[in-house]
Amino acid sequence: MNINLTLFAQLISFAVFVWFTMKYIWPPMIKALDERKAHIADGLAAAERGVHEKELAQQAALEKLHEAKQQSAEIVSRAEKRAAEIVDEAKGQARVEGERLLIAARAEIDQEANKAREVLRTKVAELAVMGAEKILRKEINAEAHKDIVDSLAKQI
Amino acid sequence: MASGDTITSSEYIQHHLTNLTFGRLPDGSWGIAHSAAEAKEMGFWALHLDSLLWSAGLAVLFSYFFYKAAKNATAGVPGNLQNFVEMMVDFVDDSVKGSFSGRNPLIAPLALTVFCWVFLMNLMDLVPVDLIPRIAAEIGIGHMKIVPTTDPNITFGLALGVFALIIYYSIKIKGVGGFIHELTGMPFQTSNAALKPIFFVINLFLEGVNLIAKPISLSLRLFGNLYAGEMIFILIALMYGSGIAMGLFGGALQFVWAVFHVLVITLQAFIFMTLTIVYLDMAHNEH
C-alpha cells in the first residue's frame, strides 16, 4: 500500500475524463433526451387535441345530420301539400272544363236540332207542296203559287 | 505465479498485491521494480503503471462508447447503444436532481464519469485473479494488478479530485470569509468575546476533521471494499493448488463470491457517486 505519484497521475486523468464527459458526452445526450421529452409531450398534446377535435367534429356532424333530417322532413311535407294542391287545382280545372264542354256540346246539339228541324220543315213543306202538286197538278202552278208555299213553309 | 515453480501462499498473495511500479531503482537508474520490496524502496516518486493504464484504459473505453452514442444521439428512436447510454444518463441525472439542489453544469457529468469509471474499475475484480497476470507474465511483465480501485492511489486520486471541487465551490459560493466562517463559526456559537477564541479553535478542529473526513472516507470505503473483495478472490484462488476436491470447492466459492461481488461493485460505484453529489451539494449550500 504505497502512496506515491500515481495519486496525482490519477487526479490528472480524472480531471481530463470529467472534462471530456462534460464537454462531449453530457450535453448532446441531455439535448437528445430533452428533445425527445419535448417530442413526446408534443405528441401527447396533439393526441389529446385530436381526441377533442374528433369529439367536436362528431357533435357537429350530429347537428348537421339532425338539421338535414329536419329540412328533408320539411321539404317532404311541403311537397305533399303542394301535390295535394295541384291535385285539387287539376280537379277544379277538370270540372270547369267538363262543364264547358258539356255546355258547348249542348249548344251544338241544340244547333244541330234546330238545323235538322229547319231542314225537316223545308222538306215537309216541299213534301206538302209536292203532295198538293200531285193532287192539284193542273190547277196549281208552282211558280205562281210560290208565295203561298213559302208562307206555308214558314208557318210549319 | 510467475516468479517460480515452488512458491508459498504468502509469496503468491504478495505477488498479487504488488503493482507494476515504475520509479528509481536501487542502482540509481529509472525502471520497473522487480519485487515488492524494490517497489517500496522507490518511495513517493514512483508510478503504478498497471493501475494507471487500466484505469485510463477503462476510462477511454467508457469515453469511446459514450462519445459514440452522444455523437449520434437523436431525439428519434434510439439504437441499442444510445438506449443504454440514455439509461445511464437518465439514472445519473435523476440522482443528481434528487441530491443536488443548486445549478451547476459540472455536477451531472462528474457524477456520470465517477459512476461509470468506478464501476468499470470495480468490474475488473470479476476477472479471474490469475488470468491477466499470467498473460502478462508470459509476455515478460512481472507484476500486474488489474483492479485499479484496489490501489489506494487511485481511490485517493478520485477523492482528492472531489475534495478539490468541494474546496473550490465552497470558496466560490460562500467566498473566502464565508468558508472560514463555516469552518470556525460552527457548531459552537457564542456572543461572549472571551469565549470566542476558544470556540474558534474547537470549531476549526471539529469542522476541519469533518472536512478532511470527506475525501478520506470516500476513498477508503471504496478501496477497503474492493481490496477485501480482491483478497478473498486471491485466497479462493489459492485453493486451486490443493487438489481436485479443494479446487472444485474453490470454484464454487469463487462463483458465489463473484455473484455477491456484483452487488458490491455496483453499490460501491453508486455510493461513490452519491457521496460525491452530496458533498458538492453541501459545498454549494450555506449552513
Side-chain angles (χ1 to χ4, degrees):
Chain A
M1 192 175 151
N2 310 328
I3 293 293
N4 55 28
L5 205 56
T6 312
L7 194 154
F8 292 101
Q10 177 69 8
L11 186 58
I12 291 162
S13 73
F14 182 43
V16 169
F17 284 116
V18 168
W19 170 81
F20 183 82
T21 307
M22 189 177 151
K23 184 108 183 166
Y24 295 108
I25 295 174
W26 191 263
M29 286 317 297
I30 281 294
K31 201 176 134 239
L33 284 175
D34 284 350
E35 261 172 36
R36 178 151 345 107
K37 256 178 221 158
H39 222 84
I40 290 170
D42 283 354
L44 286 176
E48 213 153 288
R49 230 175 14 245
V51 168
H52 189 67
E53 264 163 27
K54 196 192 111 200
E55 260 166 32
L56 282 183
Q58 261 177 349
Q59 219 170 336
L62 271 178
E63 264 168 33
K64 276 263 154 65
L65 200 68
H66 195 68
E67 217 171 278
K69 265 186 188 160
Q70 242 174 354
Q71 265 180 3
S72 71
E74 212 172 285
I75 287 168
V76 165
S77 79
R78 222 187 299 155
E80 268 170 5
K81 216 167 103 189
R82 180 87 191 104
E85 268 172 23
I86 286 170
V87 167
D88 281 354
E89 233 168 73
K91 266 185 194 161
Q93 268 179 2
R95 200 177 298 125
V96 170
E97 180 72 10
E99 268 163 20
R100 200 180 57 79
L101 282 176
L102 203 61
I103 289 163
R106 267 190 199 142
E108 209 168 318
I109 286 166
D110 283 353
Q111 220 178 353
E112 289 291 318
N114 285 341
K115 215 187 267 175
R117 218 175 276 148
E118 199 74 27
V119 171
L120 204 58
R121 206 183 282 143
T122 330
K123 285 272 188 224
V124 169
E126 268 174 22
L127 271 175
V129 172
M130 262 164 69
E133 216 177 40
K134 267 181 187 163
I135 300 160
L136 312 167
R137 185 149 308 177
K138 302 284 171 66
E139 295 137 60
I140 300 166
N141 192 337
E143 282 207 15
H145 297 91
K146 200 177 184 290
D147 307 350
I148 302 163
V149 173
D150 278 349
S151 71
L152 268 175
K154 252 175 212 164
Q155 276 166 17
I156 292 169
Chain B
M1 283 207 231
S3 41
D5 287 321
T6 52
I7 57 164
T8 64
S9 295
S10 69
E11 271 171 351
Y12 175 77
I13 294 169
Q14 183 72 41
H15 178 79
H16 268 289
L17 295 181
T18 305
N19 284 101
L20 182 68
T21 315
F22 178 86
R24 202 180 182 79
L25 292 168
D27 61 12
S29 65
W30 289 83
I32 288 162
H34 300 290
S35 67
E38 228 175 77
K40 213 171 181 68
E41 288 275 301
M42 288 172 175
F44 182 77
W45 296 105
L47 286 173
H48 291 163
L49 292 181
D50 47 1
S51 295
L52 283 173
L53 288 178
W54 280 108
S55 71
L58 291 166
V60 166
L61 192 76
F62 150 78
S63 300
Y64 169 71
F65 280 110
F66 274 54
Y67 179 63
K68 209 170 120 185
K71 210 171 59 177
N72 301 321
T74 62
V77 180
N80 283 340
L81 178 66
Q82 196 191 335
N83 218 339
F84 169 74
V85 172
E86 272 179 14
M87 212 175 72
M88 297 301 298
V89 167
D90 236 11
F91 159 70
V92 171
D93 204 35
D94 280 349
S95 298
V96 171
K97 276 180 184 145
S99 311
F100 191 77
S101 49
R103 283 186 62 83
N104 189 336
L106 172 72
I107 304 303
L110 173 75
L112 179 70
T113 313
V114 163
F115 180 73
C116 292
W117 201 8
V118 171
F119 177 77
L120 283 173
M121 288 194 284
N122 290 351
L123 193 65
M124 296 306 289
D125 212 6
L126 293 182
V127 177
V129 281
D130 272 318
L131 181 65
I132 290 173
R134 179 81 215 180
I135 293 168
E138 290 299 327
I139 59 172
I141 299 167
H143 295 92
M144 180 59 72
K145 250 179 100 178
I146 62 165
V147 193
T149 38
T150 57
D151 182 346
N153 288 295
I154 297 298
T155 61
F156 269 116
L158 293 175
L160 262 189
V162 175
F163 186 61
L165 287 173
I166 291 173
I167 303 279
Y168 172 74
Y169 282 115
S170 289
I171 291 173
K172 193 185 168 194
I173 303 289
K174 299 156 194 161
V176 179
F179 185 46
I180 290 172
H181 173 76
E182 194 177 276
L183 286 180
T184 58
M186 273 175 286
F188 298 112
Q189 284 163 323
T190 177
S191 50
N192 189 332
L195 276 176
K196 266 193 174 166
I198 303 168
F199 278 10
F200 182 92
V201 173
I202 296 172
N203 285 340
L204 183 61
F205 175 71
L206 288 173
E207 287 292 320
V209 166
N210 190 9
L211 188 67
I212 300 296
K214 285 172 184 172
I216 304 245
S217 69
L218 201 56
S219 58
L220 281 186
R221 179 184 303 106
L222 180 62
F223 164 70
N225 272 284
L226 270 291
Y227 188 79
E230 174 79 346
M231 192 60 121
I232 287 174
F233 275 124
I234 294 170
L235 291 178
I236 289 169
L238 271 177
M239 290 183 178
Y240 296 135
S242 339
I244 292 172
M246 278 299 268
L248 284 175
F249 181 60
L253 268 185
Q254 182 174 354
F255 175 75
V256 171
W257 184 242
V259 169
F260 174 65
H261 221 60
V262 169
L263 178 73
V264 174
I265 283 168
T266 321
L267 196 66
Q268 287 305 318
F270 179 70
I271 289 172
F272 201 100
M273 176 191 79
T274 308
L275 284 180
T276 300
I277 299 169
V278 168
Y279 289 160
L280 283 169
D281 181 49
M282 285 161 76
H284 279 71
N285 286 335
E286 312 255 0
H287 288 294

